[in-house]
Amino acid sequence: MKINSVEIEDTFAEAFPIKISRVLITAVTEHWALEAAREATGFGTSVIGCPSEAGIECIVSGDDTPDGRPGVYIQICNMSYKNLEASLLNRIGQCILTAPTTSAFNGLPEAENQFDTGKKLSFFGDGYQKMMDNYFGRKVWKIPIISGDFIVEQAMGAVDGIAGGNFYILGQNQMAALVAAEAAVDAIRKIKGTITPFPGGVVASGSKVGSRYKGLKASTNTAFCASLREDGVCVLTEDVSAIYEIVINGINRQAIEESMRAGINAACKVPGILRVSAANFEGKLGPHQFKLHDILA
Amino acid sequence: MKINSVEIEDTFAEAFPIKISRVLITAVTEHWALEAAREATGFGTSVIGCPSEAGIECIVSGDDTPDGRPGVYIQICNMSYKNLEASLLNRIGQCILTAPTTSAFNGLPEAENQFDTGKKLSFFGDGYQKMMDNYFGRKVWKIPIISGDFIVEQAMGAVDGIAGGNFYILGQNQMAALVAAEAAVDAIRKIKGTITPFPGGVVASGSKVGSRYKGLKASTNTAFCASLREDGVCVLTEDVSAIYEIVINGINRQAIEESMRAGINAACKVPGILRVSAANFEGKLGPHQFKLHDILA
Amino acid sequence: MKINSVEIEDTFAEAFPIKISRVLITAVTEHWALEAAREATGFGTSVIGCPSEAGIECIVSGDDTPDGRPGVYIQICNMSYKNLEASLLNRIGQCILTAPTTSAFNGLPEAENQFDTGKKLSFFGDGYQKMMDNYFGRKVWKIPIISGDFIVEQAMGAVDGIAGGNFYILGQNQMAALVAAEAAVDAIRKIKGTITPFPGGVVASGSKVGSRYKGLKASTNTAFCASLREDGVCVLTEDVSAIYEIVINGINRQAIEESMRAGINAACKVPGILRVSAANFEGKLGPHQFKLHDILA
Amino acid sequence: MKINSVEIEDTFAEAFPIKISRVLITAVTEHWALEAAREATGFGTSVIGCPSEAGIECIVSGDDTPDGRPGVYIQICNMSYKNLEASLLNRIGQCILTAPTTSAFNGLPEAENQFDTGKKLSFFGDGYQKMMDNYFGRKVWKIPIISGDFIVEQAMGAVDGIAGGNFYILGQNQMAALVAAEAAVDAIRKIKGTITPFPGGVVASGSKVGSRYKGLKASTNTAFCASLREDGVCVLTEDVSAIYEIVINGINRQAIEESMRAGINAACKVPGILRVSAANFEGKLGPHQFKLHDILA
């Protein structure tokens, strides 16, 4: 299979179940909604070493937010609902409540699982917090802060989502692969329901499950390291000299498929891209499989 | 005392000891160094609910980095050296190693305390990592990754620093206080040795030590909430309707003083700013005091 | 009439006819499409002293561009079709052809007026330019350049549009008015068909038609200058201390109305905004009138 | 000669005399100083088709501006002092006077040539403008505008400068050359005295003097177009597939040399760069020569 003369390998991305919450941050300007979103989703690339996975999903105009202000959807992801609830409380409390002019709304109001995160946060008001039953149609807490009032929705929803959707961009050189990765992230940022949690949306250091050292759960994906060619462990053809990976989390299978499709199509338009592949681990990572040829058919 | 007709109150900022590491991230372009820095310093506003405090210190050109590429200094702060070492490992490993084209250098090579963070990270190389004794004058590990090689300095230094340096910007309205806060952060970003760890460098929700609820270590600083005027707990004069706080961490007292001076001077140039104050808590927060009048004399 | 407790004055914006072309710039990433768009629309605030009026209309994803790459729509506006054609040639030739990885497509393929701008630009190829009849459905020229090939559509469309749609944001102070102006521009940027040609989309220096000096076609709108209160020429009530204006050009009346509505609604959500008004000049500027109360009804 | 294994060709950049003015824009925040600077320097890549060449020189903190606010230096360049004076008047009047919160200071107060641009602009005040003899040490005009007062220095200096300093970055593919160009521009932006006037600082379409068509002063530099290899006019070796050019204007020879050195060194650090060259035209463009080997020795 080829897209724009870039070969799409006949392989699949292996992904795993995760719990996901989705928060809609609004602020006085898009700039300040984004500042809050960046802080709230930082240090959130992989649950291996971060307290959660997190990322910016998309930017929305005031037409698509309860309070009519510009907004940014973010996602926060943990392996269990218990840890997710704790993450939500900390990330909203430390990074959105503290950010200028922001409000935090439930990004999954229809979900079955609903945490009372807003209520828990409201105690910061030290007795002066107030519940409002119908703030633009939402049940919220108004917490007095030194810059005004912070509005946070009483409930925050969560769903069974998927983490680790992915594809590999194989480039003639590092810069071609990098710009293609950026183009892929641009495209995925326009799609609702998914995040690319790594820095700038890109993974420079794709890993394999396990390592030769005890206790290290993941290590560099040696088979795909061009710099290990002389060591005999690299399976890449000679023309490939660098790879970037895009990792995608999403609230359901469809969103991830759509994002993989948009991202791969975008990457294949960049000169110097030779092949697109994906990472899988014989089921050691998880049960979900995304076959590239099926998604791109 | 007045600066540009803005009254500087005769008070002081109360701050507390913290342990600080400083990492110099370099990358192929300033853009990618900043992307890595943002991810690595996110979810890092306050040790109350974040795994560490963290922020971007300043941007430097290739003239001021070991490898001649554009760079960004970040700081990571924890209450103990033990937790700081763990934070460093996780934040560099999850957010800089994974970021496109980055290298991570020791930002405090002269410090007495040096962690072997680079060595610990090198195991990600799964046996293919290599030590280099003199990489632009530094002892580093070269770790093969799918996009090329990741370079990380063997040692990462740490010092006894100070957290919680602060000032309050009292505005005629919320937007005046907000733009003044942004102007203050612009000024502080040019100064070496300090960070402003909150979202966009600004605190919307200045807190006091303790609360009426057991187990809640901090709560909204009621005395400075204009919206609590009718509740009788607000001590602000009638003309003030909103406050933003700038919180500053730094590797030493001088850097914090210089940043407070630059930030306050910048804020006082913004129309609609009425007064500058600072937060202190009768020693309940910490032993360090920064008197506004002394700093601005 | 009040929106969010901000008074909307019962007045209208006076606007004038202008000729508008619309170009769709695509590039390898959104970043590079925007860089080209900024250069191509700079020095383009007012036909009084600029060679044309110009601005960024909106950003689109690859789903909405002929070549599937991220895109930015820009508009270029002149008083006559003849000057517009010259402006198009110069701005595309100097600012888009010269920008990395860009292509330039016709943003008004259905318009009656079509210039052969692409053909004229193709001579830069010095004999090596080639016409392609069906490049993603468009008739284009492929011009060899040192970084690859530049693609420009043969025809560029133009329509009779409207310039000078506007509203005034009256603030308690300058910063409130400024942030409200930024919020308004954020909202207008999401809407197709219009641009806000001034710096950052905002006018700091609203003008009136004519002046006391011969030959000066426009001068400061003295009646709305709070700093001229003591001179007796300011008609503003005492509570207003600063105003920013949003000026809107658009390809038709509906687009301007929609943008005025979105922008005013956004501005009225910002604390410290007292009133919204509009500028009109007894017909001396032009025949088009946009009544605020009608638009917001 | 090699830098980081990239061959530096033994050639020179050919440049020509130009007249340059330098304006220091200050604003309430760095963000707004940059917005004004971008508008004021747009449509300013080449005097062939733009009303002037223009660009952002560097960003400075409040420590380095008369009024203590953040600032951006820009340069405006024309072939004659007469045209330069007109350009200054239009670009400052249309793009800086109209921008939120800006002031415009003389960036070359020591130059022999001084225009009275501030005085001419002051008539916009319609009789209410006021001269101030000592505004932070400068003689300025205060012009009342609807958002406050606009401050512009009475005199704006100009010098005999140089345009067209340049180098070519030859890449294995387009993306390598593009990222190297961005890295070069990052480095040059830190240096005082020069601008890179093309979009994002980069030229995608390096030209030669003249063409086969009468009246066309410049055309694509066929000898350096990899896509013309089969046409027999390309002199590039087979390994090169794309080139980006950096064009540099500066207030003196030293500044251009320093910028070329910084830019070339930065580009040579980017993987996939094969060679660095420069454009010259047997003296048909101008008398100034910058030998790469001399500059980099």
Side-chain angles (χ1 to χ4, degrees):
Chain A
M1 184 183 207
K2 292 210 170 195
I3 295 179
N4 204 28
S5 81
V6 175
E7 194 197 331
I8 310 299
E9 296 192 352
D10 187 9
T11 186
F12 62 94
E14 184 177 324
F16 59 95
I18 205 162
K19 313 306 181 193
I20 300 184
S21 263
R22 195 168 173 250
V23 181
L24 171 57
I25 303 168
T26 66
V28 70
T29 54
E30 193 176 296
H31 168 77
W32 283 109
L34 272 169
E35 287 284 356
R38 280 196 204 103
E39 185 70 41
T41 60
F43 191 30
T45 61
S46 163
V47 286
I48 289 178
C50 296
S52 54
E53 301 187 3
I56 290 174
E57 182 187 303
C58 62
I59 297 172
V60 290
S61 82
D63 288 345
D64 296 317
T65 64
D67 62 4
R69 303 191 304 165
V72 176
Y73 276 99
I74 64 167
Q75 291 183 18
I76 299 171
C77 317
N78 278 84
M79 296 303 287
S80 71
Y81 280 118
K82 193 184 156 197
N83 286 347
L84 178 57
E85 186 176 9
S87 287
L88 259 182
L89 194 65
N90 279 331
R91 288 187 181 253
I92 299 177
Q94 299 287 306
C95 306
I96 306 179
L97 162 64
T98 64
T101 79
T102 51
S103 299
F105 294 99
N106 188 349
L108 291 167
E110 315 282 313
E112 264 188 51
N113 303 281
Q114 297 287 341
F115 304 123
D116 64 343
T117 308
K119 186 181 178 185
K120 290 208 173 84
L121 283 171
S122 76
F123 295 109
F124 183 77
D126 206 22
Y128 297 97
Q129 63 273 28
K130 292 216 173 78
M131 223 261 278
M132 299 171 75
D133 261 325
N134 188 349
Y135 181 81
F136 300 106
R138 307 287 181 110
K139 188 189 237 182
V140 305
W141 286 90
K142 187 172 73 165
I143 308 173
I145 56 176
I146 61 170
S147 55
D149 289 318
F150 176 66
I151 302 293
V152 57
E153 194 158 341
Q154 156 89 6
M156 290 285 162
V159 294
D160 290 341
I162 299 172
N166 72 77
F167 57 92
Y168 272 27
I169 302 167
L170 285 64
Q172 185 190 19
N173 53 32
Q174 196 189 30
M175 294 303 116
L178 178 56
V179 180
E182 188 182 339
V185 172
D186 279 353
I188 296 171
R189 270 281 180 94
K190 305 296 183 196
I191 291 169
K192 292 213 168 176
T194 58
I195 60 168
T196 53
F198 281 82
V202 182
V203 190
S205 58
S207 56
K208 65 176 179 298
V209 176
S211 84
R212 72 170 67 186
Y213 304 107
K214 268 188 207 165
L216 199 60
K217 290 182 203 167
S219 61
T220 196
N221 200 346
T222 36
F224 290 86
C225 289
S227 63
L228 296 182
R229 214 165 247 139
E230 296 186 7
D231 297 87
V233 292
C234 168
V235 303
L236 298 169
T237 51
E238 279 293 326
D239 51 348
V240 175
S241 72
I243 299 174
Y244 282 101
E245 183 187 8
I246 305 296
V247 165
I248 303 167
N249 291 6
I251 56 173
N252 56 43
R253 189 172 176 91
Q254 289 75 2
I256 290 182
E257 287 180 351
E258 194 186 345
S259 286
M260 286 179 66
R261 190 160 42 236
I264 292 171
N265 275 314
C268 289
K269 292 187 178 299
V270 177
I273 301 312
L274 304 175
R275 264 191 291 292
V276 168
S277 188
N280 51 65
F281 312 95
E282 301 171 340
K284 282 183 273 185
L285 182 67
H288 296 291
Q289 299 192 352
F290 294 88
K291 288 198 71 170
L292 300 187
H293 286 198
D294 289 353
I295 287 171
L296 296 162
Chain B
M1 186 184 205
K2 294 212 169 194
I3 294 179
N4 205 29
S5 82
V6 176
E7 194 197 331
I8 311 299
E9 296 193 351
D10 187 9
T11 186
F12 63 93
E14 185 177 325
F16 60 94
I18 205 161
K19 312 306 181 193
I20 300 183
S21 263
R22 194 171 176 249
V23 181
L24 171 57
I25 302 168
T26 65
V28 69
T29 54
E30 194 176 295
H31 168 77
W32 283 109
L34 271 168
E35 286 286 356
R38 280 195 203 103
E39 184 71 41
T41 61
F43 190 33
T45 61
S46 162
V47 286
I48 289 177
C50 296
S52 54
E53 301 188 2
I56 290 173
E57 183 186 304
C58 63
I59 296 171
V60 291
S61 80
D63 288 347
D64 296 317
T65 64
D67 62 5
R69 302 193 303 168
V72 176
Y73 276 98
I74 64 167
Q75 291 183 19
I76 298 171
C77 317
N78 277 85
M79 296 304 285
S80 70
Y81 281 118
K82 193 184 156 197
N83 286 347
L84 179 56
E85 186 176 8
S87 288
L88 259 183
L89 195 64
N90 279 332
R91 289 188 181 252
I92 299 178
Q94 299 286 307
C95 307
I96 307 180
L97 162 64
T98 64
T101 78
T102 50
S103 299
F105 294 99
N106 188 348
L108 291 168
E110 316 281 313
E112 262 187 50
N113 302 282
Q114 297 288 340
F115 303 123
D116 62 344
T117 308
K119 186 181 176 183
K120 291 208 173 85
L121 283 171
S122 75
F123 294 109
F124 183 76
D126 205 22
Y128 297 96
Q129 64 273 28
K130 292 216 172 79
M131 223 262 277
M132 298 170 75
D133 261 326
N134 188 350
Y135 181 81
F136 298 106
R138 307 286 181 110
K139 189 191 236 181
V140 305
W141 286 89
K142 187 172 74 166
I143 307 173
I145 57 175
I146 61 169
S147 55
D149 290 317
F150 176 66
I151 301 293
V152 57
E153 194 159 342
Q154 156 89 5
M156 291 285 164
V159 294
D160 290 343
I162 299 172
N166 72 76
F167 57 93
Y168 273 26
I169 302 168
L170 285 64
Q172 186 190 16
N173 53 31
Q174 196 189 30
M175 295 303 118
L178 178 56
V179 180
E182 187 182 339
V185 172
D186 278 354
I188 295 171
R189 269 283 179 93
K190 305 295 183 196
I191 291 169
K192 293 213 167 176
T194 57
I195 59 169
T196 55
F198 281 82
V202 182
V203 190
S205 58
S207 57
K208 65 176 179 298
V209 177
S211 85
R212 72 171 66 186
Y213 305 107
K214 267 188 207 165
L216 199 60
K217 292 181 198 167
S219 61
T220 195
N221 200 346
T222 36
F224 291 87
C225 288
S227 63
L228 296 183
R229 213 165 248 138
E230 296 186 8
D231 299 87
V233 292
C234 167
V235 302
L236 297 169
T237 52
E238 280 292 328
D239 50 349
V240 175
S241 72
I243 300 175
Y244 283 102
E245 182 187 8
I246 306 295
V247 165
I248 302 168
N249 291 6
I251 55 173
N252 56 44
R253 190 171 176 91
Q254 289 76 1
I256 290 182
E257 288 180 350
E258 194 186 345
S259 287
M260 287 179 66
R261 189 159 44 235
I264 292 170
N265 276 313
C268 290
K269 292 185 179 299
V270 176
I273 301 312
L274 304 174
R275 264 190 293 293
V276 168
S277 189
N280 51 67
F281 312 96
E282 301 171 338
K284 282 183 274 184
L285 182 67
H288 296 291
Q289 299 193 353
F290 294 87
K291 290 198 69 168
L292 299 187
H293 286 198
D294 289 354
I295 286 170
L296 297 162
Chain C
M1 185 183 206
K2 293 213 169 192
I3 294 179
N4 203 30
S5 81
V6 175
E7 194 196 331
I8 310 299
E9 297 191 351
D10 187 10
T11 186
F12 63 93
E14 182 176 326
F16 59 93
I18 205 162
K19 312 306 181 194
I20 300 183
S21 263
R22 194 169 174 250
V23 181
L24 171 57
I25 303 169
T26 65
V28 70
T29 55
E30 193 175 297
H31 168 77
W32 283 109
L34 272 168
E35 286 284 356
R38 281 197 203 101
E39 184 72 41
T41 60
F43 190 32
T45 62
S46 162
V47 285
I48 291 178
C50 297
S52 54
E53 300 188 3
I56 291 173
E57 182 187 304
C58 63
I59 297 173
V60 291
S61 81
D63 288 345
D64 296 317
T65 64
D67 62 3
R69 303 191 304 166
V72 176
Y73 276 97
I74 63 167
Q75 291 182 19
I76 299 172
C77 317
N78 277 84
M79 296 304 285
S80 70
Y81 281 118
K82 190 183 158 198
N83 286 347
L84 179 57
E85 185 176 7
S87 288
L88 259 182
L89 194 65
N90 279 332
R91 289 188 181 252
I92 299 178
Q94 300 285 307
C95 306
I96 306 180
L97 161 64
T98 64
T101 79
T102 50
S103 298
F105 294 100
N106 188 349
L108 291 168
E110 316 281 314
E112 263 188 52
N113 302 281
Q114 297 287 342
F115 304 124
D116 63 343
T117 309
K119 185 181 178 184
K120 289 207 175 84
L121 283 170
S122 75
F123 294 110
F124 182 76
D126 205 23
Y128 297 97
Q129 63 272 29
K130 292 215 173 79
M131 223 261 278
M132 298 170 74
D133 261 325
N134 188 349
Y135 181 81
F136 299 106
R138 307 287 181 110
K139 188 190 237 184
V140 305
W141 286 89
K142 187 172 74 164
I143 307 173
I145 56 176
I146 62 170
S147 54
D149 289 317
F150 176 66
I151 301 292
V152 58
E153 195 158 340
Q154 155 91 4
M156 291 285 162
V159 294
D160 290 342
I162 299 172
N166 71 76
F167 57 92
Y168 273 26
I169 302 167
L170 285 64
Q172 186 190 18
N173 53 31
Q174 196 189 30
M175 294 304 117
L178 177 56
V179 180
E182 188 183 338
V185 172
D186 279 353
I188 296 170
R189 270 282 180 92
K190 306 295 183 197
I191 291 169
K192 292 212 168 179
T194 57
I195 59 168
T196 53
F198 280 83
V202 182
V203 190
S205 57
S207 57
K208 65 176 180 296
V209 176
S211 84
R212 71 170 68 185
Y213 304 107
K214 269 190 206 163
L216 199 59
K217 291 181 201 168
S219 61
T220 195
N221 201 344
T222 36
F224 290 88
C225 288
S227 63
L228 296 182
R229 214 165 248 139
E230 296 186 9
D231 298 270
V233 292
C234 168
V235 302
L236 298 169
T237 51
E238 280 292 327
D239 50 349
V240 175
S241 72
I243 299 175
Y244 282 102
E245 183 187 9
I246 306 295
V247 165
I248 302 168
N249 292 6
I251 55 172
N252 56 44
R253 189 172 175 90
Q254 290 76 359
I256 290 182
E257 287 179 351
E258 194 186 346
S259 287
M260 286 179 66
R261 189 159 44 235
I264 291 170
N265 276 314
C268 289
K269 293 186 177 299
V270 177
I273 300 313
L274 305 174
R275 263 190 295 291
V276 168
S277 189
N280 51 67
F281 312 96
E282 302 171 339
K284 282 183 274 186
L285 183 66
H288 296 291
Q289 298 192 353
F290 294 87
K291 288 199 71 169
L292 299 188
H293 286 198
D294 290 352
I295 286 171
L296 296 162
Chain D
M1 186 182 206
K2 293 212 169 191
I3 295 178
N4 204 27
S5 81
V6 175
E7 194 196 332
I8 310 300
E9 296 192 352
D10 187 10
T11 186
F12 62 93
E14 185 177 324
F16 60 93
I18 205 161
K19 312 305 182 193
I20 300 183
S21 262
R22 194 169 173 248
V23 181
L24 170 57
I25 303 168
T26 65
V28 69
T29 54
E30 194 176 294
H31 168 78
W32 283 109
L34 271 169
E35 286 285 357
R38 280 195 205 103
E39 185 71 42
T41 60
F43 191 31
T45 61
S46 162
V47 286
I48 289 178
C50 296
S52 54
E53 301 187 4
I56 291 174
E57 181 186 305
C58 62
I59 297 172
V60 292
S61 82
D63 289 346
D64 296 317
T65 65
D67 62 6
R69 302 192 305 166
V72 175
Y73 276 99
I74 64 167
Q75 291 182 19
I76 299 172
C77 317
N78 277 85
M79 296 304 285
S80 71
Y81 279 118
K82 191 184 160 199
N83 286 347
L84 178 57
E85 186 176 8
S87 288
L88 259 183
L89 195 64
N90 279 331
R91 289 188 180 253
I92 299 177
Q94 299 286 308
C95 306
I96 307 180
L97 162 64
T98 64
T101 79
T102 51
S103 298
F105 294 100
N106 188 347
L108 290 168
E110 315 281 314
E112 263 187 52
N113 302 282
Q114 296 287 341
F115 304 123
D116 63 344
T117 308
K119 186 181 177 184
K120 291 208 173 86
L121 283 171
S122 76
F123 294 109
F124 183 76
D126 204 23
Y128 297 97
Q129 64 273 28
K130 292 217 173 77
M131 223 261 278
M132 299 171 75
D133 262 325
N134 188 349
Y135 181 81
F136 299 107
R138 307 287 181 110
K139 188 191 239 181
V140 305
W141 287 89
K142 188 173 72 166
I143 307 173
I145 57 176
I146 62 170
S147 55
D149 289 317
F150 176 67
I151 301 293
V152 57
E153 195 158 341
Q154 156 89 6
M156 291 286 164
V159 295
D160 291 341
I162 299 172
N166 72 76
F167 58 92
Y168 272 26
I169 302 168
L170 285 65
Q172 185 191 17
N173 54 30
Q174 195 188 31
M175 294 302 119
L178 177 56
V179 180
E182 188 183 340
V185 172
D186 278 353
I188 296 170
R189 270 283 179 93
K190 305 296 183 197
I191 291 168
K192 293 211 166 177
T194 58
I195 59 168
T196 53
F198 280 82
V202 181
V203 190
S205 57
S207 57
K208 64 176 180 297
V209 176
S211 84
R212 73 170 66 187
Y213 305 107
K214 267 188 206 166
L216 198 61
K217 290 181 200 166
S219 62
T220 194
N221 201 345
T222 35
F224 290 88
C225 288
S227 64
L228 295 182
R229 214 166 247 139
E230 296 186 8
D231 298 88
V233 292
C234 167
V235 302
L236 298 169
T237 51
E238 279 293 327
D239 50 350
V240 175
S241 72
I243 299 175
Y244 282 102
E245 182 187 9
I246 306 296
V247 165
I248 303 168
N249 292 6
I251 55 174
N252 56 44
R253 188 170 177 91
Q254 289 75 2
I256 291 182
E257 288 179 350
E258 195 187 344
S259 287
M260 287 179 66
R261 190 160 41 236
I264 292 171
N265 276 313
C268 289
K269 291 185 179 301
V270 177
I273 300 313
L274 304 175
R275 263 189 293 291
V276 168
S277 189
N280 51 67
F281 312 95
E282 302 172 339
K284 282 183 273 185
L285 182 66
H288 295 291
Q289 299 193 353
F290 294 87
K291 288 198 69 168
L292 299 188
H293 286 199
D294 289 354
I295 286 170
L296 296 162

